[in-house]
């Protein structure tokens, strides 16, 4: 396969996954903002969302004060924000158009229709009048895109590059979400502990605890999964275990890296041995890791290192298979 074709497929999938992840985070923050809370707590939640995508400085530069409406507009439809849902869906569509002949008709039409429909919804003001409905629509379209890809495309190199892009982006997002959300709650409620506290603290509102941790789980469709696996109250160390080490949890780090490795093996070439080794090493660390060891050394440090390793993996994939990124 031509490296340029592989590049378009890889980034088409990454941008579609990024749009879904952004919608998930916005949805959880929006739902949390409807709960009784102080103005300071609400602002911290929206600042945390911007921090996950490393967009705080850019947002403040262009918009100033952090308000729910302004953040939603910035993250959904701002043409100047390269990570907005608008720009992600546009980039996914343009990458799909560039390799139209490699995709099935159903995959292309799904990507194209998603972009056209999104523009109509923005013009109609859906994300202002019913943000939750808009976010659900974005998630649904991402699910549809992924389902049509699996259901109609030949599982050849094109398919594998699509899968690599999806799961590399998902791993990055899940790690960022965990890092920001856990770090915020540790700093505010657990005194900035290096690990994650295993229980509550004096005066800590159990109901607030529940909504915080359940919000993290809902952002990755993990609330029902947690209840099924652990069958007890939501505890932070169990949330971390589910989203890092459980290979049967679709959006966990372990599951994402497993998919990346599986598909990398299918497209391996003479120069990709080192990239595949790094990916396999990361998979092994997750497969044989223990949550108590991770928490003992510090969750923030662990996730920072994971993000660095995923970033290195992405650079290796670009070097070995895709169009090299200009220095």
């Amino acid at each position: 396969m031509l490296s340029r074709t592989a590049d378009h497929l890889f980034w088409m999938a990454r941008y579609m996954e990024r749009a879904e992840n952004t919608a998930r985070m916005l949805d959880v923050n929006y739902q949390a903002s409807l709960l009784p809370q102080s103005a300071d707590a609400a602002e911290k939640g929206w600042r945390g969302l911007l921090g996950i995508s490393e967009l705080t400085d850019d947002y403040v530069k262009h918009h100033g004060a952090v308000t729910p409406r302004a953040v939603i507009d910035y993250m959904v439809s701002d043409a100047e924000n390269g990570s907005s849902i608008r720009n992600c869906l546009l980039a996914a569509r343009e990458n799909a158009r560039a390799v139209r002949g490699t995709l099935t008709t159903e995959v292309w039409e799904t990507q194209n229709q998603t972009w056209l429909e999104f523009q109509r919804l923005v013009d109609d003001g859906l994300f202002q009048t019913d943000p939750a409905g808009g976010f659900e629509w974005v998630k649904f379209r991402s699910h549809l895109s992924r389902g049509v890809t699996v259901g109609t495309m030949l599982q050849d190199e094109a398919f594998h590059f699509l899968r690599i892009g999806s799961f590399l982006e998902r791993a990055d997002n899940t790690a960022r979400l965990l890092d920001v959300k856990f770090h915020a709650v540790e700093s505010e409620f657990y005194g900035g502990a290096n690990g994650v506290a295993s229980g509550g603290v004096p005066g800590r509102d159990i109901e607030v605890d529940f909504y915080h941790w359940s919000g993290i789980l809902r952002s990755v469709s993990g609330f029902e999964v947690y209840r099924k696996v652990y069958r007890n109250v939501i505890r932070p160390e169990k949330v971390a275990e589910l989203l890092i080490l459980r290979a049967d949890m679709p959006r966990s780090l372990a599951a994402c890296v497993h998919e990346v490795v599986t598909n990398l093996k299918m497209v391996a070439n003479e120069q990709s041995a080192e990239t595949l080794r790094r990916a396999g090493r990361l998979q092994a660390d997750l497969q044989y890791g223990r949550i108590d060891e991770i928490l003992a050394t510090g969750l923030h440090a662990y996730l920072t290192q994971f993000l660095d390793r995923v970033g290195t993996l992405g650079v290796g994939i670009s070097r070995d298979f895709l169009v090299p990124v200009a220095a």
Side-chain angles (χ1 to χ4, degrees), residues 19-20 23 85 118 127 134-143:
E20 178 187 349
I85 292 175
F118 174 79
F127 290 93
F135 302 143
E136 283 299 321
W137 178 87
V138 174
K139 289 189 284 183
F140 172 77
R141 296 302 298 188
S142 179
H143 295 325

Side-chain angles (χ1 to χ4, degrees), residues 163-164 167-168 171 244-250 252-266 276 279-280 282-284 286-287 306 313:
R163 300 289 282 180
I164 292 169
F167 287 100
L168 198 66
I244 295 174
L245 300 178
R246 292 283 307 204
D248 50 357
M249 168 60 189
S252 72
L253 304 187
C256 293
V257 173
H258 171 76
E259 287 289 341
V260 170
V261 171
T262 299
N263 287 279
L264 268 178
K265 289 179 178 177
M266 301 301 293
L276 188 57
L282 184 55
Q283 181 186 24
L286 289 163
Q287 182 177 354
F306 177 87
L313 197 56

Side-chain angles (χ1 to χ4, degrees), residues 11-12 14-16 18-20 22 55 58 73-95 111 115 118-119 122 138:
W11 283 105
M12 168 192 145
R14 285 203 73 159
Y15 279 120
M16 198 68 199
R18 190 173 300 175
E20 178 187 349
T22 300
L55 293 170
D58 183 72
D73 288 345
Y74 175 73
M75 295 296 290
V76 170
S77 57
D78 192 333
E80 300 302 315
N81 173 14
S83 295
S84 68
I85 292 175
R86 173 198 182 277
N87 283 339
C88 287
L89 295 181
L90 175 60
R93 187 255 190 188
E94 290 305 300
N95 277 285
Q111 293 290 338
W115 167 241
F118 174 79
Q119 293 180 90
V122 170
V138 174

